[in-house]
Amino acid sequence: NGSMTPFVGTHQGRLDGKGRISIPSQFRALLKAGSTDPSAPSTPLMMNPSNGEACIEVRSETAFNDFTAGIYELDHLSERRNDLELTYFALSVHLKIDDEGRVVIPPKLREEVGLTEKSDIAFVGRGNYFQIWDASHADTRVDLARRRTKERGDTLPGRTR
């Protein structure tokens, strides 16, 4: 959705002993922005391990459904569809943000991407979603992306309004 305010920036955090982490206030504000009722809960969220990176991805339920919609266009019995369903649905979880702005990252997801209580955590904005990384891996990945973008001479395509 081109009209939504994007998740931007890199924000730091730490896991507590129960696997909880506080969502950055800037991201929480964006998640609540869709509600006209200030006492309403935040937008329903989905969390899944990234299929291509050593991180966890967090999207609104609507963005997650849009992201995974193409799976349903594949042949129901195909190996590709089955693999994609298991990749994106089996380890995905619905998130609830508590009154202190925290979410619990389930042990299986923490293990999948190597997050521990000792990890410095980075929340990395990616437009319509954000990622949760071990901070040292996030820095390395952002550096790689910037270097490759410069080497290729990538620019953003122009848009007419």
Side-chain angles (χ1 to χ4, degrees):
N1 178 346
S3 64
M4 92 171 240
T5 302
F7 293 103
V8 298
T10 300
H11 310 274
Q12 304 305 310
R14 283 193 82 74
L15 287 170
D16 70 13
K18 297 178 181 177
R20 297 176 302 195
I21 191 160
S22 293
I23 300 291
S25 60
Q26 300 91 327
F27 289 180
R28 284 196 315 266
L30 292 175
L31 293 169
K32 254 193 142 17
S35 173
T36 55
D37 176 359
S39 66
S42 295
T43 303
L45 298 177
M46 297 294 294
M47 175 183 281
N48 62 280
S50 173
N51 192 33
E53 308 277 5
C55 66
I56 295 168
E57 298 178 346
V58 180
R59 292 175 172 81
S60 71
E61 193 172 81
T62 301
F64 181 82
N65 291 338
D66 290 346
F67 175 69
T68 57
I71 292 172
Y72 301 110
E73 296 173 15
L74 300 172
D75 178 53
H76 187 69
L77 298 177
S78 73
E79 179 179 353
R80 184 170 180 223
R81 177 173 172 162
N82 287 319
D83 288 348
L84 286 167
E85 285 174 338
L86 290 170
T87 296
Y88 287 105
F89 300 129
L91 294 177
S92 294
V93 295
H94 292 273
L95 282 184
K96 292 211 186 306
I97 299 177
D98 71 15
D99 292 339
E100 296 177 39
R102 298 173 303 191
V103 295
V104 175
I105 301 176
K108 179 72 174 157
L109 282 181
R110 293 193 311 260
E111 182 182 304
E112 183 86 15
V113 299
L115 299 179
T116 69
E117 283 180 52
K118 294 178 174 44
S119 299
D120 287 324
I121 305 296
F123 291 85
V124 178
R126 295 291 302 260
N128 72 344
Y129 69 104
F130 61 90
Q131 295 174 320
I132 301 172
W133 290 78
D134 175 289
S136 64
H137 296 140
D139 290 343
T140 300
R141 181 62 181 92
V142 170
D143 290 346
L144 173 64
R146 290 193 42 77
R147 189 183 84 243
R148 290 195 308 205
T149 299
K150 287 177 187 176
E151 287 170 358
R152 289 188 303 252
D154 290 346
T155 59
L156 297 176
R159 258 183 97 175
T160 57
R161 294 195 185 269

